[in-house]
Amino acid sequence: MRHPARLGGDTLVQRLQQMLADRGLDQTPAGPIDDEPRPDEPGHPAYHRARRAEWALARWQTATPYRYQQATATNPQITAWADRAIDDPKKAGFLLMTGPFGTGKTHQAYGALRRIADAGPDRYEVIATTAPDMYALLRPGGSDRGAEYELKRLMQVPLLLIDDLGTEKISEFTEEATYRLLNERYNECRPLIITSNLPPSDPTGGPDLNEKLGQRITSRLSQMTTVVPMGGNDRRRPASGGAA
């Protein structure tokens, strides 16, 4: 079998090299190689932030009731608090939303947690519970793992939401459990979101958290808490003249 003949052999290569040399093109330096990853490729910060956000949003959805799966924080004070929690969780402090039933406190609370997840934090762990469910878990026999285990878990989770604080009947047990929880998160500067139908205090003498939970608890709340009063009509009721 015959091998194909070489076209011009080494002479053609030499002639091409000489032509390039005559034109000064044989000394052209190689251009820069753009081997930096694009935002949609591994290695780029935007790529990894997006992957962290996907993972965090999945955890947020697991912790969020179906009714609030589309929750978005829109209140400027609440979005500002969430942004502080994104930038430095230890400087965010507590967030307390107060107001009557149906004014959107729970929706805004889950929206704040979603905003934090969407930022793609390095770590995203959250527990969201109502105050009655929390106390039921902490009472003797409320958990197979024990009340102390559950309390430590609530103390140490990076993000915690307690909905409807102040709806339960006051007792020595609820006051002690609440104080221990808030005091630990206060000392360790862990973010906490609370919603309540009661204000921290009521100068008119009406019911408030100070009366419901005790002075030492509201004292802890007052030292590092952003309080956001929320008003308006009850969103759970149909508008006047509207369909039920």
Side-chain angles (χ1 to χ4, degrees):
M1 179 177 179
R2 298 179 59 188
H3 295 284
R6 298 176 62 186
L7 182 60
D10 294 336
T11 303
L12 178 59
V13 175
Q14 293 170 354
R15 289 177 59 189
L16 290 172
Q17 290 176 337
Q18 186 60 49
M19 292 171 63
L20 292 173
D22 292 343
R23 291 169 173 77
L25 300 177
D26 60 330
Q27 302 299 321
T28 302
I33 299 175
D34 183 10
D35 59 356
E36 291 295 321
R38 297 192 303 269
D40 61 344
E41 294 179 333
H44 195 284
Y47 173 89
H48 294 288
R49 189 209 67 79
R51 300 291 80 74
R52 292 195 303 270
E54 289 178 1
W55 183 85
L57 284 169
R59 300 204 72 165
W60 175 83
Q61 289 176 335
T62 299
T64 302
Y66 180 80
R67 182 174 297 279
Y68 301 106
Q69 287 286 312
Q70 303 303 318
T72 303
T74 55
N75 183 292
Q77 288 180 278
I78 295 170
T79 57
W81 179 89
D83 290 343
R84 290 198 299 274
I86 291 166
D87 293 338
D88 187 348
K90 289 190 176 297
K91 294 182 179 179
F94 295 171
L95 173 65
L96 170 62
M97 285 172 271
T98 67
F101 288 106
T103 51
K105 300 184 299 295
T106 304
H107 180 98
Q108 292 287 328
Y110 280 107
L113 293 174
R114 180 176 191 160
R115 187 179 182 92
I116 297 170
D118 197 43
D122 292 334
R123 183 183 182 190
Y124 189 85
E125 295 179 38
V126 60
I127 294 175
T129 183
T130 65
D133 286 342
M134 178 181 73
Y135 292 127
L137 191 68
L138 296 178
R139 284 189 171 90
S143 168
D144 293 338
R145 293 176 290 192
E148 281 299 314
Y149 172 90
E150 299 295 351
L151 183 58
K152 291 290 186 183
R153 186 165 160 259
L154 294 169
M155 289 175 174
Q156 295 173 3
V157 68
L159 288 168
L160 176 64
L161 163 60
I162 304 175
D163 200 17
D164 287 335
L165 186 67
T167 56
E168 63 291 330
K169 293 182 179 180
I170 190 66
S171 68
E172 184 177 346
F173 163 78
T174 56
E175 182 177 353
E176 185 64 25
T178 306
Y179 179 77
R180 288 183 61 194
L181 172 59
L182 297 185
N183 190 58
E184 173 71 12
R185 296 192 73 86
Y186 170 85
N187 287 338
E188 297 301 325
C189 298
R190 295 191 177 105
L192 170 65
I193 301 176
I194 298 171
T195 74
S196 178
N197 299 322
L198 302 175
S201 61
D202 189 341
T204 67
D208 55 34
L209 285 175
N210 188 46
E211 174 189 355
K212 193 74 172 179
L213 300 177
Q215 179 65 41
R216 63 176 182 164
I217 292 176
T218 52
S219 175
R220 274 289 178 262
L221 286 175
S222 66
Q223 292 181 47
M224 59 181 300
T225 300
T226 299
V227 180
V228 182
M230 298 185 66
N233 297 324
D234 188 340
R235 300 182 184 183
R236 298 169 186 169
R237 295 179 179 271
S240 178

